[in-house]
Amino acid sequence: MSTLYAPKGSDKRIKTVNFAGTQETVYERSDWPIPKLQSYFHDKIIAVIGYGSQGYAQSLNARDNGLNIIVGVREDGYSWDRALSDGWIPGESLFNIESATERGNIVMNLLSDAAQSQVWPVMKPALTAGKTLYFSHGLSLVFPEDTHIVPPDDVDVVLVAPKGSGMTVRSLFKEGRGINSSIAVWQDSTGFAHDTAVALGIAIGSGYMYETTFQNEVFSDLVGERGALMGAMMGIFSAQYELLRSRGHSPSEAFNETVEEATQSLFPLIGKHGMEHLANACSTTARRGALDWAPIFKDATMPVFEKLYEKVRDGSEIRNVLQSNGKATYRQDLKRELEALGREEIWRVGQVVRSLRPENQR
């Protein structure tokens, strides 16, 4: 399943793992114990720009790992207040974006994709030779014609992309576990960009990391979010629930057979043991139906996924994100959309169902 080797003249261990017949290189937390991590960054100031989902989680994890972290956000905004509540101190560890970028040897750009484009003219002059520019999503560099972000030639540019929300990155770290992440190098001006990417991945709470490219990370991430991870799941949940309701099933029955059983019983089994274990653990009737209908759903959805991938590849999805999230009314528009989602019957029923779980009755 896995092989360890050290390149000639190096004491670094490299682990290759067989993923269903394809050998891939992975990097693990065990290769970077805390003393080694702290030693690698002992003379570095790491500036985390942005304090949203990933910014707060990655900065707190790296701070808890003993690294010298500062945060850069817009003064007196929501993120500034949130950073204050997490113990960041103005003038010591909390600065405006320009000042933090100037101070940082490593600049972690964790602003939203739309905000990255807007703030780039402020950040770029402070990215002087020898610094490291870090991203957790490669969109800004893969589509420069839309974002207008092109890093200076004399800085390292790396990516560490956690495979989960900031909330999960933080919670798994606090539990002593770790998030899976992908890593990539866009530009290596110092000769140490790859080592820095791996070390930063461990610093922000990764358990293990696999290699990718900026482009592949963007394409797979955007397809996943719009597809099986969120968009497709939301659509399929709604479709099945509405069908059951239209055929006379009660709200509680429709929700339990659509969402509650999936999230509370079946998905955890897939996560822990795999789909084949779930299929083997369910009733013979459920197993037969799942095996018969899975290829039907695959054939039905493949054209949708193909259309989605093309829209990601040609940049139209990215332009939609930048246009929508770059509006002055972004927060108000999003609030209306989320409130409308919450008003749908399926999710109002879900609130009641969750309240009836035994652990919520205490």
Side-chain angles (χ1 to χ4, degrees), residues 55-342:
Y56 104 93
Q58 295 191 31
S59 62
L60 291 176
N61 289 357
R63 184 176 71 178
D64 289 350
N65 273 329
L67 305 189
N68 186 7
I69 308 297
I70 63 174
V71 171
V73 294
R74 182 171 58 85
E75 289 184 81
D76 301 323
Y78 170 79
S79 294
W80 183 275
D81 292 338
R82 187 182 185 191
L84 287 174
S85 69
D86 285 334
W88 303 99
I89 302 171
E92 294 183 16
S93 57
L94 179 61
F95 301 89
N96 63 36
I97 291 173
E98 184 176 8
S99 295
T101 306
E102 290 172 349
R103 285 172 166 80
N105 306 106
I106 297 169
V107 179
M108 300 172 64
N109 192 345
L110 298 179
L111 294 163
S112 70
D113 293 316
Q116 287 184 19
S117 297
Q118 296 165 353
V119 175
W120 182 244
V122 174
M123 294 180 62
K124 185 176 180 179
L127 295 170
T128 52
K131 288 193 176 187
T132 296
L133 177 61
Y134 166 110
F135 294 89
S136 279
H137 188 36
L139 185 153
S140 290
L141 301 190
V142 174
F143 292 95
E145 65 276 13
D146 298 302
T147 65
H148 310 295
I149 294 179
V150 178
D153 292 336
D154 52 4
V155 301
D156 289 349
V157 183
V158 303
L159 174 139
V160 177
K163 300 300 116 182
S165 69
M167 184 179 298
T168 307
V169 172
R170 182 62 175 158
S171 64
L172 289 179
F173 177 84
K174 292 171 71 174
E175 293 169 13
R177 299 163 65 191
I179 193 81
N180 300 339
S181 300
S182 60
I183 63 168
V185 173
W186 179 270
Q187 184 169 285
D188 184 2
S189 70
T190 67
F192 299 102
H194 188 272
D195 286 351
T196 299
V198 175
L200 286 169
I202 300 301
I204 61 94
S206 303
Y208 96 89
M209 292 162 286
Y210 61 92
E211 294 184 329
T212 186
T213 66
F214 271 65
Q215 178 173 289
N216 283 350
E217 186 278 330
V218 172
F219 289 7
S220 61
D221 186 71
L222 291 176
V223 169
E225 291 167 347
R226 287 148 181 76
L229 300 179
M230 291 180 65
M233 181 169 60
M234 291 166 67
I236 289 175
F237 278 167
S238 293
Q240 179 170 305
Y241 178 87
E242 291 173 13
L243 172 71
L244 292 174
R245 292 288 287 124
S246 71
R247 299 298 194 270
H249 297 268
S250 69
S252 59
E253 182 170 67
F255 187 86
N256 272 282
E257 294 292 352
T258 300
V259 179
E260 189 74 352
E261 184 174 352
T263 60
Q264 299 304 297
S265 176
L266 306 184
F267 288 178
L269 284 177
I270 298 171
K272 189 172 184 179
H273 300 293
M275 185 65 77
E276 71 283 4
H277 176 89
L278 171 63
N280 195 48
C282 64
S283 71
T284 56
T285 301
R287 182 187 309 129
R288 183 69 268 147
L291 292 173
D292 288 345
W293 278 88
I296 297 173
F297 277 106
K298 178 181 177 181
D299 290 344
T301 57
M302 184 60 80
V304 180
F305 278 105
E306 290 174 342
K307 180 180 179 180
L308 168 58
Y309 195 94
E310 181 57 25
K311 283 187 171 294
V312 169
R313 190 199 62 77
D314 69 18
S316 57
E317 275 297 309
I318 284 75
R319 287 186 283 277
N320 178 57
V321 168
L322 296 175
Q323 180 181 7
S324 175
N325 296 355
K327 291 180 180 177
T329 58
Y330 162 70
R331 291 192 182 277
Q332 301 94 303
D333 295 343
L334 176 62
K335 185 173 184 289
R336 283 193 294 271
E337 285 186 287
L338 295 180
E339 287 175 346
L341 180 64

